[in-house]
Amino acid sequence: MNTLKRATLSAAVCLIGLAAGSRAQTVQVQINSPEQGAEVGRKATVRGTIADPKAQVFVLVRPVQDRYWWVQRVPHPSNQDGSWETLCYFGTADEGPGEEFQIIALVTRGLREEQRFEDLPPYIARSETVKVRRRGRERPESRAGWE
């Protein structure tokens, strides 16, 4: 009888593990815009889709030259078709022009805007990382020839 209980318990644990793994694989999130290698301004809208519109998406941005991921504005709940969008910041007015940034979308819980993480927080699913470059400083127009 003891062996039967152990076998039943082992089977139950395996089934739970398979169900949990199956759930993690079915929750897919992706970033559709901006595209890999795109140029962005200091602020840009990041858009994407998620397979489960009820799941919570968080978008994090990291300057490539820095070690911290920054949580951006939390997207409103996804539309019924799974699309979402949020405004992201790529540096400040003085910091970031010309630099590369990474963007990632995570399905997770409990993050707050402006939190920062050295490593990605625990997540259920994640998008591919998108690398973008912030446009450089705008140069003032030349006044040569103006008097």
Side-chain angles (χ1 to χ4, degrees):
M1 183 87 166
N2 225 356
T3 305
L4 181 58
K5 284 182 181 178
R6 275 190 292 210
T8 304
L9 181 60
S10 294
V13 168
C14 286
L15 287 173
I16 290 169
L18 286 173
S22 167
R23 166 79 174 135
Q25 291 173 355
T26 60
V27 178
Q28 296 176 357
V29 61
Q30 70 180 46
I31 296 172
N32 300 330
S33 172
E35 293 180 354
Q36 195 73 249
E39 271 198 355
V40 297
R42 186 170 70 91
K43 295 187 254 183
T45 299
V46 174
R47 294 180 174 89
T49 54
I50 185 161
D52 179 358
K54 294 178 185 164
Q56 179 64 61
V57 177
F58 292 88
V59 178
L60 285 73
V61 170
R62 182 180 81 85
V64 170
Q65 296 178 357
D66 193 1
R67 66 177 185 249
Y68 293 109
W69 289 96
W70 292 86
V71 179
Q72 302 300 300
R73 288 188 179 173
V74 178
H76 294 289
S78 303
N79 296 320
Q80 289 183 345
D81 66 356
S83 63
W84 54 265
E85 68 177 47
T86 191
L87 183 65
C88 291
Y89 292 84
F90 299 91
T92 65
D94 297 323
E95 297 177 350
E99 290 184 29
E100 288 186 323
F101 289 81
Q102 292 179 317
I103 311 166
I104 193 163
L106 302 178
V107 176
T108 189
R109 295 185 181 160
L111 303 185
R112 294 181 324 276
E113 185 177 338
E114 296 185 17
Q115 267 184 299
R116 72 178 189 175
F117 295 92
E118 195 164 331
D119 296 310
L120 290 176
Y123 56 85
I124 297 166
R126 63 173 273 181
S127 69
E128 294 292 323
T129 303
V130 175
K131 189 183 285 186
V132 297
R133 179 176 297 281
R134 180 169 157 195
R135 284 188 278 281
R137 295 190 196 282
E138 303 219 355
R139 297 181 185 156
E141 290 184 25
S142 171
R143 294 196 176 259
W146 287 24
E147 295 184 295

